[in-house]
Amino acid sequence: VQLQASGGGLVQAGGSLRLSCAASGSIFSINTMNWYRQAPGKQRELVAGITSGGRTNYADSVKGRFTISRDNAKNTVYLQMNSLKPEDTAVYYCNVPSVILTTWRTVYDCWGQGTLVTVSS
């Protein structure tokens, strides 16, 4: 299973970006898809998550500004980031805790390569 993230870049404070992450491989189903981020010198933190049924959760620091969504048919998760702040600067990673393959094998803890988001003040 491969996760390919895209959409990062440089944006001014108050601006918006949309991240995408597509999972590929012999995938039968994915339940939860997450976005994490890691700022320089800090630990990786969970930003948002979404289940296949559409249930979402967010870190307090991004509630009301970020929206996670997904396209189950495309095995793709999105993160719409609005009202960006300099403290949102980080490498953003997509994560899938478990994937059921078409062979009925389960693969655990898959990570994308990360995409850099830089917010200037």
Side-chain angles (χ1 to χ4, degrees):
V1 175
Q2 290 189 326
L3 299 179
Q4 182 67 46
S6 61
L10 173 64
V11 64
Q12 288 188 332
S16 299
L17 282 174
R18 189 189 194 214
L19 307 183
S20 300
C21 178
S24 62
S26 301
I27 297 170
F28 176 73
S29 69
I30 300 174
N31 185 11
T32 301
M33 303 183 83
N34 298 316
W35 284 101
Y36 283 77
R37 67 185 180 187
Q38 188 166 19
K42 294 188 176 181
Q43 288 189 330
R44 192 171 296 189
E45 63 173 349
L46 178 64
V47 176
I50 186 169
T51 68
S52 57
R55 183 175 297 180
T56 59
N57 64 281
Y58 296 93
D60 288 343
S61 59
V62 306
K63 282 181 181 176
R65 300 188 297 121
F66 291 10
T67 302
I68 189 170
S69 61
R70 66 188 282 175
D71 183 331
N72 290 330
K74 296 181 179 179
N75 290 320
T76 299
V77 62
Y78 306 97
L79 187 67
Q80 177 66 43
M81 305 185 294
N82 299 328
S83 303
L84 282 161
K85 304 176 181 179
E87 51 264 44
D88 294 318
T89 295
V91 177
Y92 285 71
Y93 299 90
C94 55
N95 163 261
V96 173
S98 64
V99 180
I100 300 175
L101 304 180
T102 55
T103 58
W104 304 116
R105 188 167 68 94
T106 300
V107 178
Y108 296 97
D109 204 25
C110 303
W111 291 88
Q113 84 284 7
T115 184
L116 177 62
V117 172
T118 304
V119 184
S120 62
S121 56

